[in-house]
Amino acid sequence: MMMRPLYKVMPFFFLLLSCSLFPQPTGTVDKYILTKPTLQKSSKKAADKEIFIAQPSLAVALQDHNRIVYYPTPQKIEYLAGGEWAQKLDLMVWESLFEAMKASHKFKAVLFDVAPAEILTLKTHIALLGIEQDGLQKKVHVVYEFSLFGLESKLMSQKRMEQMIPLSDAKLDAIVSCLNTAHQQIIAEYVTSL
């Protein structure tokens, strides 16, 4: 009679024992963000136009994770250890673009949630945002493609903008700082060009 209750309790005992045998995660993962650039206020009067900032699209290598991309060769993708983006890249770039457009005072309104029919629309593709190996030198390489559409979705302009910054410091904080600088330079240059 004593064996039956013990038999029922044994699986729970083994479960508790196995949980205590699993290795506990060690180390920390630093979280990083991209920030908007600081723009000079435009001296021009704000246009009467409104602009809708669509959520950017991501290159395949940048999708479905928050890891920081490293390309040791053009055909190989790895990810930096010890750090990751605090949120998905498309959301961070979207927020930066939206804030930079608002700060530029070039438009009567800057929208990101609803796209009225009679409004300019900016679509962005994040083609590359990572670190590349270039011979013995590592560099930050960021490429954004901007497409501006007018009324009836007519394409008004397309621009491919890129920044490359050689890395002199292999520390993760320095690498992310360079990525953020390249990101800010592209957005500032694009918003200023409008």
Side-chain angles (χ1 to χ4, degrees), residues 54-60 62-63 90 93 97 122-128 142-147 159-161 186:
Q55 182 171 349
S57 60
L58 291 166
V60 174
L62 303 172
Q63 294 176 3
D90 55 343
V93 172
L97 268 170
L122 176 63
K123 294 186 177 179
T124 307
H125 178 67
I126 304 164
L128 184 65
V142 179
V143 179
Y144 294 169
E145 296 166 352
F146 299 99
S147 300
K159 289 187 180 179
R160 178 182 169 92
M161 305 182 87
I186 288 175

mmCIF file with all atom_site columns, all heavy atoms in Angstrom, residues 54-60 62-63 90 93 97 122-128 142-147 159-161 186:
data_model
loop_
_atom_site.group_PDB
_atom_site.id
_atom_site.type_symbol
_atom_site.label_atom_id
_atom_site.label_alt_id
_atom_site.label_comp_id
_atom_site.label_asym_id
_atom_site.label_entity_id
_atom_site.label_seq_id
_atom_site.pdbx_PDB_ins_code
_atom_site.Cartn_x
_atom_site.Cartn_y
_atom_site.Cartn_z
_atom_site.occupancy
_atom_site.B_iso_or_equiv
_atom_site.pdbx_formal_charge
_atom_site.auth_seq_id
_atom_site.auth_comp_id
_atom_site.auth_asym_id
_atom_site.auth_atom_id
_atom_site.pdbx_PDB_model_num
ATOM 1   N N   . ALA A 1 54  ? 5.998  55.454 -43.799 1.00 0.00 ? 54  ALA A N   1
ATOM 2   C CA  . ALA A 1 54  ? 5.636  54.035 -43.714 1.00 0.00 ? 54  ALA A CA  1
ATOM 3   C C   . ALA A 1 54  ? 6.678  53.276 -42.903 1.00 0.00 ? 54  ALA A C   1
ATOM 4   O O   . ALA A 1 54  ? 7.848  53.668 -42.844 1.00 0.00 ? 54  ALA A O   1
ATOM 5   C CB  . ALA A 1 54  ? 5.531  53.440 -45.122 1.00 0.00 ? 54  ALA A CB  1
ATOM 6   N N   . GLN A 1 55  ? 6.253  52.180 -42.296 1.00 0.00 ? 55  GLN A N   1
ATOM 7   C CA  . GLN A 1 55  ? 7.203  51.344 -41.553 1.00 0.00 ? 55  GLN A CA  1
ATOM 8   C C   . GLN A 1 55  ? 8.229  50.775 -42.529 1.00 0.00 ? 55  GLN A C   1
ATOM 9   O O   . GLN A 1 55  ? 7.868  50.220 -43.563 1.00 0.00 ? 55  GLN A O   1
ATOM 10  C CB  . GLN A 1 55  ? 6.475  50.196 -40.845 1.00 0.00 ? 55  GLN A CB  1
ATOM 11  C CG  . GLN A 1 55  ? 7.406  49.331 -40.017 1.00 0.00 ? 55  GLN A CG  1
ATOM 12  C CD  . GLN A 1 55  ? 6.665  48.335 -39.152 1.00 0.00 ? 55  GLN A CD  1
ATOM 13  O OE1 . GLN A 1 55  ? 5.455  48.400 -38.992 1.00 0.00 ? 55  GLN A OE1 1
ATOM 14  N NE2 . GLN A 1 55  ? 7.405  47.401 -38.590 1.00 0.00 ? 55  GLN A NE2 1
ATOM 15  N N   . PRO A 1 56  ? 9.519  50.928 -42.250 1.00 0.00 ? 56  PRO A N   1
ATOM 16  C CA  . PRO A 1 56  ? 10.547 50.441 -43.169 1.00 0.00 ? 56  PRO A CA  1
ATOM 17  C C   . PRO A 1 56  ? 10.512 48.922 -43.346 1.00 0.00 ? 56  PRO A C   1
ATOM 18  O O   . PRO A 1 56  ? 10.041 48.189 -42.472 1.00 0.00 ? 56  PRO A O   1
ATOM 19  C CB  . PRO A 1 56  ? 11.856 50.865 -42.499 1.00 0.00 ? 56  PRO A CB  1
ATOM 20  C CG  . PRO A 1 56  ? 11.478 51.997 -41.603 1.00 0.00 ? 56  PRO A CG  1
ATOM 21  C CD  . PRO A 1 56  ? 10.098 51.656 -41.118 1.00 0.00 ? 56  PRO A CD  1
ATOM 22  N N   . SER A 1 57  ? 11.035 48.483 -44.475 1.00 0.00 ? 57  SER A N   1
ATOM 23  C CA  . SER A 1 57  ? 11.236 47.053 -44.707 1.00 0.00 ? 57  SER A CA  1
ATOM 24  C C   . SER A 1 57  ? 12.699 46.733 -44.429 1.00 0.00 ? 57  SER A C   1
ATOM 25  O O   . SER A 1 57  ? 13.563 47.611 -44.450 1.00 0.00 ? 57  SER A O   1
ATOM 26  C CB  . SER A 1 57  ? 10.867 46.688 -46.150 1.00 0.00 ? 57  SER A CB  1
ATOM 27  O OG  . SER A 1 57  ? 11.671 47.413 -47.069 1.00 0.00 ? 57  SER A OG  1
ATOM 28  N N   . LEU A 1 58  ? 12.967 45.456 -44.154 1.00 0.00 ? 58  LEU A N   1
ATOM 29  C CA  . LEU A 1 58  ? 14.316 45.010 -43.785 1.00 0.00 ? 58  LEU A CA  1
ATOM 30  C C   . LEU A 1 58  ? 14.858 43.998 -44.784 1.00 0.00 ? 58  LEU A C   1
ATOM 31  O O   . LEU A 1 58  ? 14.110 43.141 -45.264 1.00 0.00 ? 58  LEU A O   1
ATOM 32  C CB  . LEU A 1 58  ? 14.283 44.341 -42.408 1.00 0.00 ? 58  LEU A CB  1
ATOM 33  C CG  . LEU A 1 58  ? 14.018 45.198 -41.191 1.00 0.00 ? 58  LEU A CG  1
ATOM 34  C CD1 . LEU A 1 58  ? 13.691 44.335 -39.987 1.00 0.00 ? 58  LEU A CD1 1
ATOM 35  C CD2 . LEU A 1 58  ? 15.215 46.082 -40.888 1.00 0.00 ? 58  LEU A CD2 1
ATOM 36  N N   . ALA A 1 59  ? 16.154 44.069 -45.048 1.00 0.00 ? 59  ALA A N   1
ATOM 37  C CA  . ALA A 1 59  ? 16.821 43.010 -45.813 1.00 0.00 ? 59  ALA A CA  1
ATOM 38  C C   . ALA A 1 59  ? 16.702 41.701 -45.033 1.00 0.00 ? 59  ALA A C   1
ATOM 39  O O   . ALA A 1 59  ? 16.556 41.701 -43.810 1.00 0.00 ? 59  ALA A O   1
ATOM 40  C CB  . ALA A 1 59  ? 18.286 43.371 -46.030 1.00 0.00 ? 59  ALA A CB  1
ATOM 41  N N   . VAL A 1 60  ? 16.772 40.593 -45.739 1.00 0.00 ? 60  VAL A N   1
ATOM 42  C CA  . VAL A 1 60  ? 16.572 39.278 -45.128 1.00 0.00 ? 60  VAL A CA  1
ATOM 43  C C   . VAL A 1 60  ? 17.502 39.047 -43.934 1.00 0.00 ? 60  VAL A C   1
ATOM 44  O O   . VAL A 1 60  ? 17.087 38.534 -42.902 1.00 0.00 ? 60  VAL A O   1
ATOM 45  C CB  . VAL A 1 60  ? 16.765 38.158 -46.177 1.00 0.00 ? 60  VAL A CB  1
ATOM 46  C CG1 . VAL A 1 60  ? 16.714 36.790 -45.531 1.00 0.00 ? 60  VAL A CG1 1
ATOM 47  C CG2 . VAL A 1 60  ? 15.704 38.274 -47.263 1.00 0.00 ? 60  VAL A CG2 1
ATOM 48  N N   . LEU A 1 62  ? 18.504 40.962 -41.770 1.00 0.00 ? 62  LEU A N   1
ATOM 49  C CA  . LEU A 1 62  ? 18.161 41.779 -40.608 1.00 0.00 ? 62  LEU A CA  1
ATOM 50  C C   . LEU A 1 62  ? 16.803 41.430 -40.010 1.00 0.00 ? 62  LEU A C   1
ATOM 51  O O   . LEU A 1 62  ? 16.395 42.017 -39.020 1.00 0.00 ? 62  LEU A O   1
ATOM 52  C CB  . LEU A 1 62  ? 18.168 43.261 -40.999 1.00 0.00 ? 62  LEU A CB  1
ATOM 53  C CG  . LEU A 1 62  ? 19.481 43.789 -41.588 1.00 0.00 ? 62  LEU A CG  1
ATOM 54  C CD1 . LEU A 1 62  ? 19.300 45.198 -42.107 1.00 0.00 ? 62  LEU A CD1 1
ATOM 55  C CD2 . LEU A 1 62  ? 20.603 43.721 -40.573 1.00 0.00 ? 62  LEU A CD2 1
ATOM 56  N N   . GLN A 1 63  ? 16.114 40.491 -40.608 1.00 0.00 ? 63  GLN A N   1
ATOM 57  C CA  . GLN A 1 63  ? 14.752 40.164 -40.172 1.00 0.00 ? 63  GLN A CA  1
ATOM 58  C C   . GLN A 1 63  ? 14.731 39.164 -39.024 1.00 0.00 ? 63  GLN A C   1
ATOM 59  O O   . GLN A 1 63  ? 15.645 38.370 -38.854 1.00 0.00 ? 63  GLN A O   1
ATOM 60  C CB  . GLN A 1 63  ? 13.941 39.586 -41.335 1.00 0.00 ? 63  GLN A CB  1
ATOM 61  C CG  . GLN A 1 63  ? 13.677 40.569 -42.436 1.00 0.00 ? 63  GLN A CG  1
ATOM 62  C CD  . GLN A 1 63  ? 12.958 39.952 -43.616 1.00 0.00 ? 63  GLN A CD  1
ATOM 63  O OE1 . GLN A 1 63  ? 12.591 38.783 -43.601 1.00 0.00 ? 63  GLN A OE1 1
ATOM 64  N NE2 . GLN A 1 63  ? 12.770 40.735 -44.653 1.00 0.00 ? 63  GLN A NE2 1
ATOM 65  N N   . ASP A 1 90  ? 13.660 47.850 -37.859 1.00 0.00 ? 90  ASP A N   1
ATOM 66  C CA  . ASP A 1 90  ? 12.697 48.625 -38.631 1.00 0.00 ? 90  ASP A CA  1
ATOM 67  C C   . ASP A 1 90  ? 11.941 49.614 -37.736 1.00 0.00 ? 90  ASP A C   1
ATOM 68  O O   . ASP A 1 90  ? 11.680 50.753 -38.136 1.00 0.00 ? 90  ASP A O   1
ATOM 69  C CB  . ASP A 1 90  ? 11.735 47.729 -39.406 1.00 0.00 ? 90  ASP A CB  1
ATOM 70  C CG  . ASP A 1 90  ? 10.997 46.725 -38.533 1.00 0.00 ? 90  ASP A CG  1
ATOM 71  O OD1 . ASP A 1 90  ? 11.425 46.468 -37.392 1.00 0.00 ? 90  ASP A OD1 1
ATOM 72  O OD2 . ASP A 1 90  ? 9.983  46.185 -39.007 1.00 0.00 ? 90  ASP A OD2 1
ATOM 73  N N   . VAL A 1 93  ? 14.442 52.563 -36.804 1.00 0.00 ? 93  VAL A N   1
ATOM 74  C CA  . VAL A 1 93  ? 14.658 53.462 -37.941 1.00 0.00 ? 93  VAL A CA  1
ATOM 75  C C   . VAL A 1 93  ? 13.387 54.265 -38.214 1.00 0.00 ? 93  VAL A C   1
ATOM 76  O O   . VAL A 1 93  ? 13.441 55.467 -38.495 1.00 0.00 ? 93  VAL A O   1
ATOM 77  C CB  . VAL A 1 93  ? 15.113 52.674 -39.189 1.00 0.00 ? 93  VAL A CB  1
ATOM 78  C CG1 . VAL A 1 93  ? 15.156 53.568 -40.422 1.00 0.00 ? 93  VAL A CG1 1
ATOM 79  C CG2 . VAL A 1 93  ? 16.479 52.038 -38.948 1.00 0.00 ? 93  VAL A CG2 1
ATOM 80  N N   . LEU A 1 97  ? 13.224 58.318 -38.260 1.00 0.00 ? 97  LEU A N   1
ATOM 81  C CA  . LEU A 1 97  ? 12.757 59.055 -39.435 1.00 0.00 ? 97  LEU A CA  1
ATOM 82  C C   . LEU A 1 97  ? 11.597 59.979 -39.075 1.00 0.00 ? 97  LEU A C   1
ATOM 83  O O   . LEU A 1 97  ? 11.561 61.147 -39.470 1.00 0.00 ? 97  LEU A O   1
ATOM 84  C CB  . LEU A 1 97  ? 12.304 58.081 -40.521 1.00 0.00 ? 97  LEU A CB  1
ATOM 85  C CG  . LEU A 1 97  ? 13.332 57.658 -41.545 1.00 0.00 ? 97  LEU A CG  1
ATOM 86  C CD1 . LEU A 1 97  ? 12.799 56.526 -42.393 1.00 0.00 ? 97  LEU A CD1 1
ATOM 87  C CD2 . LEU A 1 97  ? 13.739 58.827 -42.414 1.00 0.00 ? 97  LEU A CD2 1
ATOM 88  N N   . LEU A 1 122 ? 6.533  58.252 -47.683 1.00 0.00 ? 122 LEU A N   1
ATOM 89  C CA  . LEU A 1 122 ? 7.945  57.869 -47.716 1.00 0.00 ? 122 LEU A CA  1
ATOM 90  C C   . LEU A 1 122 ? 8.078  56.411 -47.308 1.00 0.00 ? 122 LEU A C   1
ATOM 91  O O   . LEU A 1 122 ? 7.654  56.026 -46.223 1.00 0.00 ? 122 LEU A O   1
ATOM 92  C CB  . LEU A 1 122 ? 8.768  58.747 -46.760 1.00 0.00 ? 122 LEU A CB  1
ATOM 93  C CG  . LEU A 1 122 ? 10.253 58.373 -46.643 1.00 0.00 ? 122 LEU A CG  1
ATOM 94  C CD1 . LEU A 1 122 ? 10.966 58.533 -47.987 1.00 0.00 ? 122 LEU A CD1 1
ATOM 95  C CD2 . LEU A 1 122 ? 10.934 59.197 -45.563 1.00 0.00 ? 122 LEU A CD2 1
ATOM 96  N N   . LYS A 1 123 ? 8.659  55.618 -48.208 1.00 0.00 ? 123 LYS A N   1
ATOM 97  C CA  . LYS A 1 123 ? 8.941  54.214 -47.906 1.00 0.00 ? 123 LYS A CA  1
ATOM 98  C C   . LYS A 1 123 ? 10.454 54.043 -47.837 1.00 0.00 ? 123 LYS A C   1
ATOM 99  O O   . LYS A 1 123 ? 11.185 54.576 -48.676 1.00 0.00 ? 123 LYS A O   1
ATOM 100 C CB  . LYS A 1 123 ? 8.342  53.295 -48.969 1.00 0.00 ? 123 LYS A CB  1
ATOM 101 C CG  . LYS A 1 123 ? 6.823  53.329 -48.970 1.00 0.00 ? 123 LYS A CG  1
ATOM 102 C CD  . LYS A 1 123 ? 6.242  52.314 -49.918 1.00 0.00 ? 123 LYS A CD  1
ATOM 103 C CE  . LYS A 1 123 ? 4.718  52.333 -49.830 1.00 0.00 ? 123 LYS A CE  1
ATOM 104 N NZ  . LYS A 1 123 ? 4.114  51.382 -50.750 1.00 0.00 ? 123 LYS A NZ  1
ATOM 105 N N   . THR A 1 124 ? 10.898 53.295 -46.843 1.00 0.00 ? 124 THR A N   1
ATOM 106 C CA  . THR A 1 124 ? 12.336 53.089 -46.616 1.00 0.00 ? 124 THR A CA  1
ATOM 107 C C   . THR A 1 124 ? 12.643 51.606 -46.575 1.00 0.00 ? 124 THR A C   1
ATOM 108 O O   . THR A 1 124 ? 11.899 50.835 -45.958 1.00 0.00 ? 124 THR A O   1
ATOM 109 C CB  . THR A 1 124 ? 12.755 53.727 -45.273 1.00 0.00 ? 124 THR A CB  1
ATOM 110 O OG1 . THR A 1 124 ? 12.328 55.084 -45.253 1.00 0.00 ? 124 THR A OG1 1
ATOM 111 C CG2 . THR A 1 124 ? 14.256 53.656 -45.074 1.00 0.00 ? 124 THR A CG2 1
ATOM 112 N N   . HIS A 1 125 ? 13.731 51.216 -47.215 1.00 0.00 ? 125 HIS A N   1
ATOM 113 C CA  . HIS A 1 125 ? 14.221 49.836 -47.131 1.00 0.00 ? 125 HIS A CA  1
ATOM 114 C C   . HIS A 1 125 ? 15.594 49.875 -46.478 1.00 0.00 ? 125 HIS A C   1
ATOM 115 O O   . HIS A 1 125 ? 16.492 50.594 -46.933 1.00 0.00 ? 125 HIS A O   1
ATOM 116 C CB  . HIS A 1 125 ? 14.305 49.207 -48.522 1.00 0.00 ? 125 HIS A CB  1
ATOM 117 C CG  . HIS A 1 125 ? 14.841 47.815 -48.501 1.00 0.00 ? 125 HIS A CG  1
ATOM 118 N ND1 . HIS A 1 125 ? 14.154 46.763 -47.926 1.00 0.00 ? 125 HIS A ND1 1
ATOM 119 C CD2 . HIS A 1 125 ? 16.017 47.305 -48.952 1.00 0.00 ? 125 HIS A CD2 1
ATOM 120 C CE1 . HIS A 1 125 ? 14.877 45.656 -48.046 1.00 0.00 ? 125 HIS A CE1 1
ATOM 121 N NE2 . HIS A 1 125 ? 16.011 45.960 -48.656 1.00 0.00 ? 125 HIS A NE2 1
ATOM 122 N N   . ILE A 1 126 ? 15.754 49.116 -45.393 1.00 0.00 ? 126 ILE A N   1
ATOM 123 C CA  . ILE A 1 126 ? 17.054 49.019 -44.709 1.00 0.00 ? 126 ILE A CA  1
ATOM 124 C C   . ILE A 1 126 ? 17.799 47.863 -45.373 1.00 0.00 ? 126 ILE A C   1
ATOM 125 O O   . ILE A 1 126 ? 17.558 46.696 -45.079 1.00 0.00 ? 126 ILE A O   1
ATOM 126 C CB  . ILE A 1 126 ? 16.860 48.791 -43.201 1.00 0.00 ? 126 ILE A CB  1
ATOM 127 C CG1 . ILE A 1 126 ? 15.978 49.905 -42.619 1.00 0.00 ? 126 ILE A CG1 1
ATOM 128 C CG2 . ILE A 1 126 ? 18.199 48.717 -42.488 1.00 0.00 ? 126 ILE A CG2 1
ATOM 129 C CD1 . ILE A 1 126 ? 15.413 49.598 -41.255 1.00 0.00 ? 126 ILE A CD1 1
ATOM 130 N N   . ALA A 1 127 ? 18.653 48.211 -46.319 1.00 0.00 ? 127 ALA A N   1
ATOM 131 C CA  . ALA A 1 127 ? 19.345 47.196 -47.105 1.00 0.00 ? 127 ALA A CA  1
ATOM 132 C C   . ALA A 1 127 ? 20.525 46.589 -46.352 1.00 0.00 ? 127 ALA A C   1
ATOM 133 O O   . ALA A 1 127 ? 20.849 45.411 -46.527 1.00 0.00 ? 127 ALA A O   1
ATOM 134 C CB  . ALA A 1 127 ? 19.823 47.800 -48.429 1.00 0.00 ? 127 ALA A CB  1
ATOM 135 N N   . LEU A 1 128 ? 21.157 47.385 -45.498 1.00 0.00 ? 128 LEU A N   1
ATOM 136 C CA  . LEU A 1 128 ? 22.351 46.913 -44.790 1.00 0.00 ? 128 LEU A CA  1
ATOM 137 C C   . LEU A 1 128 ? 22.551 47.764 -43.547 1.00 0.00 ? 128 LEU A C   1
ATOM 138 O O   . LEU A 1 128 ? 22.460 48.987 -43.604 1.00 0.00 ? 128 LEU A O   1
ATOM 139 C CB  . LEU A 1 128 ? 23.570 47.035 -45.714 1.00 0.00 ? 128 LEU A CB  1
ATOM 140 C CG  . LEU A 1 128 ? 24.912 46.520 -45.235 1.00 0.00 ? 128 LEU A CG  1
ATOM 141 C CD1 . LEU A 1 128 ? 24.882 45.019 -45.039 1.00 0.00 ? 128 LEU A CD1 1
ATOM 142 C CD2 . LEU A 1 128 ? 25.991 46.862 -46.241 1.00 0.00 ? 128 LEU A CD2 1
ATOM 143 N N   . VAL A 1 142 ? 26.255 50.982 -43.585 1.00 0.00 ? 142 VAL A N   1
ATOM 144 C CA  . VAL A 1 142 ? 24.820 51.178 -43.469 1.00 0.00 ? 142 VAL A CA  1
ATOM 145 C C   . VAL A 1 142 ? 24.295 51.682 -44.811 1.00 0.00 ? 142 VAL A C   1
ATOM 146 O O   . VAL A 1 142 ? 24.865 52.624 -45.383 1.00 0.00 ? 142 VAL A O   1
ATOM 147 C CB  . VAL A 1 142 ? 24.474 52.187 -42.351 1.00 0.00 ? 142 VAL A CB  1
ATOM 148 C CG1 . VAL A 1 142 ? 22.966 52.403 -42.258 1.00 0.00 ? 142 VAL A CG1 1
ATOM 149 C CG2 . VAL A 1 142 ? 25.018 51.691 -41.005 1.00 0.00 ? 142 VAL A CG2 1
ATOM 150 N N   . VAL A 1 143 ? 23.223 51.039 -45.312 1.00 0.00 ? 143 VAL A N   1
ATOM 151 C CA  . VAL A 1 143 ? 22.612 51.426 -46.584 1.00 0.00 ? 143 VAL A CA  1
ATOM 152 C C   . VAL A 1 143 ? 21.100 51.482 -46.404 1.00 0.00 ? 143 VAL A C   1
ATOM 153 O O   . VAL A 1 143 ? 20.482 50.491 -46.012 1.00 0.00 ? 143 VAL A O   1
ATOM 154 C CB  . VAL A 1 143 ? 22.946 50.422 -47.715 1.00 0.00 ? 143 VAL A CB  1
ATOM 155 C CG1 . VAL A 1 143 ? 22.273 50.844 -49.024 1.00 0.00 ? 143 VAL A CG1 1
ATOM 156 C CG2 . VAL A 1 143 ? 24.445 50.273 -47.901 1.00 0.00 ? 143 VAL A CG2 1
ATOM 157 N N   . TYR A 1 144 ? 20.525 52.665 -46.681 1.00 0.00 ? 144 TYR A N   1
ATOM 158 C CA  . TYR A 1 144 ? 19.064 52.846 -46.671 1.00 0.00 ? 144 TYR A CA  1
ATOM 159 C C   . TYR A 1 144 ? 18.634 53.270 -48.072 1.00 0.00 ? 144 TYR A C   1
ATOM 160 O O   . TYR A 1 144 ? 19.317 54.064 -48.725 1.00 0.00 ? 144 TYR A O   1
ATOM 161 C CB  . TYR A 1 144 ? 18.627 53.933 -45.687 1.00 0.00 ? 144 TYR A CB  1
ATOM 162 C CG  . TYR A 1 144 ? 18.867 53.646 -44.221 1.00 0.00 ? 144 TYR A CG  1
ATOM 163 C CD1 . TYR A 1 144 ? 18.728 54.651 -43.284 1.00 0.00 ? 144 TYR A CD1 1
ATOM 164 C CD2 . TYR A 1 144 ? 19.220 52.381 -43.758 1.00 0.00 ? 144 TYR A CD2 1
ATOM 165 C CE1 . TYR A 1 144 ? 18.932 54.417 -41.931 1.00 0.00 ? 144 TYR A CE1 1
ATOM 166 C CE2 . TYR A 1 144 ? 19.433 52.142 -42.414 1.00 0.00 ? 144 TYR A CE2 1
ATOM 167 C CZ  . TYR A 1 144 ? 19.286 53.170 -41.502 1.00 0.00 ? 144 TYR A CZ  1
ATOM 168 O OH  . TYR A 1 144 ? 19.504 52.917 -40.167 1.00 0.00 ? 144 TYR A OH  1
ATOM 169 N N   . GLU A 1 145 ? 17.492 52.751 -48.507 1.00 0.00 ? 145 GLU A N   1
ATOM 170 C CA  . GLU A 1 145 ? 16.922 53.132 -49.798 1.00 0.00 ? 145 GLU A CA  1
ATOM 171 C C   . GLU A 1 145 ? 15.584 53.822 -49.538 1.00 0.00 ? 145 GLU A C   1
ATOM 172 O O   . GLU A 1 145 ? 14.699 53.243 -48.904 1.00 0.00 ? 145 GLU A O   1
ATOM 173 C CB  . GLU A 1 145 ? 16.740 51.893 -50.679 1.00 0.00 ? 145 GLU A CB  1
ATOM 174 C CG  . GLU A 1 145 ? 18.073 51.246 -51.014 1.00 0.00 ? 145 GLU A CG  1
ATOM 175 C CD  . GLU A 1 145 ? 17.945 49.843 -51.582 1.00 0.00 ? 145 GLU A CD  1
ATOM 176 O OE1 . GLU A 1 145 ? 16.828 49.279 -51.583 1.00 0.00 ? 145 GLU A OE1 1
ATOM 177 O OE2 . GLU A 1 145 ? 18.980 49.308 -52.013 1.00 0.00 ? 145 GLU A OE2 1
ATOM 178 N N   . PHE A 1 146 ? 15.455 55.061 -50.006 1.00 0.00 ? 146 PHE A N   1
ATOM 179 C CA  . PHE A 1 146 ? 14.261 55.870 -49.770 1.00 0.00 ? 146 PHE A CA  1
ATOM 180 C C   . PHE A 1 146 ? 13.472 56.016 -51.065 1.00 0.00 ? 146 PHE A C   1
ATOM 181 O O   . PHE A 1 146 ? 14.045 56.335 -52.109 1.00 0.00 ? 146 PHE A O   1
ATOM 182 C CB  . PHE A 1 146 ? 14.649 57.267 -49.274 1.00 0.00 ? 146 PHE A CB  1
ATOM 183 C CG  . PHE A 1 146 ? 15.404 57.278 -47.987 1.00 0.00 ? 146 PHE A CG  1
ATOM 184 C CD1 . PHE A 1 146 ? 16.784 57.392 -47.969 1.00 0.00 ? 146 PHE A CD1 1
ATOM 185 C CD2 . PHE A 1 146 ? 14.743 57.166 -46.767 1.00 0.00 ? 146 PHE A CD2 1
ATOM 186 C CE1 . PHE A 1 146 ? 17.492 57.407 -46.780 1.00 0.00 ? 146 PHE A CE1 1
ATOM 187 C CE2 . PHE A 1 146 ? 15.442 57.181 -45.568 1.00 0.00 ? 146 PHE A CE2 1
ATOM 188 C CZ  . PHE A 1 146 ? 16.813 57.303 -45.575 1.00 0.00 ? 146 PHE A CZ  1
ATOM 189 N N   . SER A 1 147 ? 12.160 55.829 -50.992 1.00 0.00 ? 147 SER A N   1
ATOM 190 C CA  . SER A 1 147 ? 11.265 56.041 -52.132 1.00 0.00 ? 147 SER A CA  1
ATOM 191 C C   . SER A 1 147 ? 10.149 56.975 -51.674 1.00 0.00 ? 147 SER A C   1
ATOM 192 O O   . SER A 1 147 ? 9.426  56.666 -50.730 1.00 0.00 ? 147 SER A O   1
ATOM 193 C CB  . SER A 1 147 ? 10.671 54.721 -52.620 1.00 0.00 ? 147 SER A CB  1
ATOM 194 O OG  . SER A 1 147 ? 11.691 53.836 -53.028 1.00 0.00 ? 147 SER A OG  1
ATOM 195 N N   . LYS A 1 159 ? 16.206 57.362 -53.651 1.00 0.00 ? 159 LYS A N   1
ATOM 196 C CA  . LYS A 1 159 ? 17.599 57.621 -53.279 1.00 0.00 ? 159 LYS A CA  1
ATOM 197 C C   . LYS A 1 159 ? 18.141 56.438 -52.500 1.00 0.00 ? 159 LYS A C   1
ATOM 198 O O   . LYS A 1 159 ? 17.480 55.931 -51.600 1.00 0.00 ? 159 LYS A O   1
ATOM 199 C CB  . LYS A 1 159 ? 17.711 58.881 -52.420 1.00 0.00 ? 159 LYS A CB  1
ATOM 200 C CG  . LYS A 1 159 ? 17.474 60.164 -53.171 1.00 0.00 ? 159 LYS A CG  1
ATOM 201 C CD  . LYS A 1 159 ? 17.759 61.359 -52.289 1.00 0.00 ? 159 LYS A CD  1
ATOM 202 C CE  . LYS A 1 159 ? 17.510 62.643 -53.077 1.00 0.00 ? 159 LYS A CE  1
ATOM 203 N NZ  . LYS A 1 159 ? 17.735 63.828 -52.269 1.00 0.00 ? 159 LYS A NZ  1
ATOM 204 N N   . ARG A 1 160 ? 19.341 56.038 -52.864 1.00 0.00 ? 160 ARG A N   1
ATOM 205 C CA  . ARG A 1 160 ? 20.074 55.014 -52.102 1.00 0.00 ? 160 ARG A CA  1
ATOM 206 C C   . ARG A 1 160 ? 21.207 55.749 -51.409 1.00 0.00 ? 160 ARG A C   1
ATOM 207 O O   . ARG A 1 160 ? 22.048 56.366 -52.076 1.00 0.00 ? 160 ARG A O   1
ATOM 208 C CB  . ARG A 1 160 ? 20.603 53.937 -53.041 1.00 0.00 ? 160 ARG A CB  1
ATOM 209 C CG  . ARG A 1 160 ? 21.422 52.868 -52.340 1.00 0.00 ? 160 ARG A CG  1
ATOM 210 C CD  . ARG A 1 160 ? 21.940 51.859 -53.375 1.00 0.00 ? 160 ARG A CD  1
ATOM 211 N NE  . ARG A 1 160 ? 22.918 50.976 -52.820 1.00 0.00 ? 160 ARG A NE  1
ATOM 212 C CZ  . ARG A 1 160 ? 22.667 49.787 -52.278 1.00 0.00 ? 160 ARG A CZ  1
ATOM 213 N NH1 . ARG A 1 160 ? 21.421 49.360 -52.231 1.00 0.00 ? 160 ARG A NH1 1
ATOM 214 N NH2 . ARG A 1 160 ? 23.633 49.038 -51.812 1.00 0.00 ? 160 ARG A NH2 1
ATOM 215 N N   . MET A 1 161 ? 21.220 55.698 -50.087 1.00 0.00 ? 161 MET A N   1
ATOM 216 C CA  . MET A 1 161 ? 22.222 56.427 -49.331 1.00 0.00 ? 161 MET A CA  1
ATOM 217 C C   . MET A 1 161 ? 22.991 55.464 -48.448 1.00 0.00 ? 161 MET A C   1
ATOM 218 O O   . MET A 1 161 ? 22.401 54.564 -47.845 1.00 0.00 ? 161 MET A O   1
ATOM 219 C CB  . MET A 1 161 ? 21.545 57.521 -48.504 1.00 0.00 ? 161 MET A CB  1
ATOM 220 C CG  . MET A 1 161 ? 20.696 58.453 -49.373 1.00 0.00 ? 161 MET A CG  1
ATOM 221 S SD  . MET A 1 161 ? 19.936 59.768 -48.446 1.00 0.00 ? 161 MET A SD  1
ATOM 222 C CE  . MET A 1 161 ? 21.246 60.959 -48.496 1.00 0.00 ? 161 MET A CE  1
ATOM 223 N N   . ILE A 1 186 ? 22.872 59.311 -42.408 1.00 0.00 ? 186 ILE A N   1
ATOM 224 C CA  . ILE A 1 186 ? 22.012 59.028 -43.560 1.00 0.00 ? 186 ILE A CA  1
ATOM 225 C C   . ILE A 1 186 ? 20.659 59.718 -43.401 1.00 0.00 ? 186 ILE A C   1
ATOM 226 O O   . ILE A 1 186 ? 20.172 60.366 -44.338 1.00 0.00 ? 186 ILE A O   1
ATOM 227 C CB  . ILE A 1 186 ? 21.826 57.501 -43.733 1.00 0.00 ? 186 ILE A CB  1
ATOM 228 C CG1 . ILE A 1 186 ? 23.118 56.868 -44.253 1.00 0.00 ? 186 ILE A CG1 1
ATOM 229 C CG2 . ILE A 1 186 ? 20.662 57.202 -44.691 1.00 0.00 ? 186 ILE A CG2 1
ATOM 230 C CD1 . ILE A 1 186 ? 23.086 55.356 -44.349 1.00 0.00 ? 186 ILE A CD1 1
#
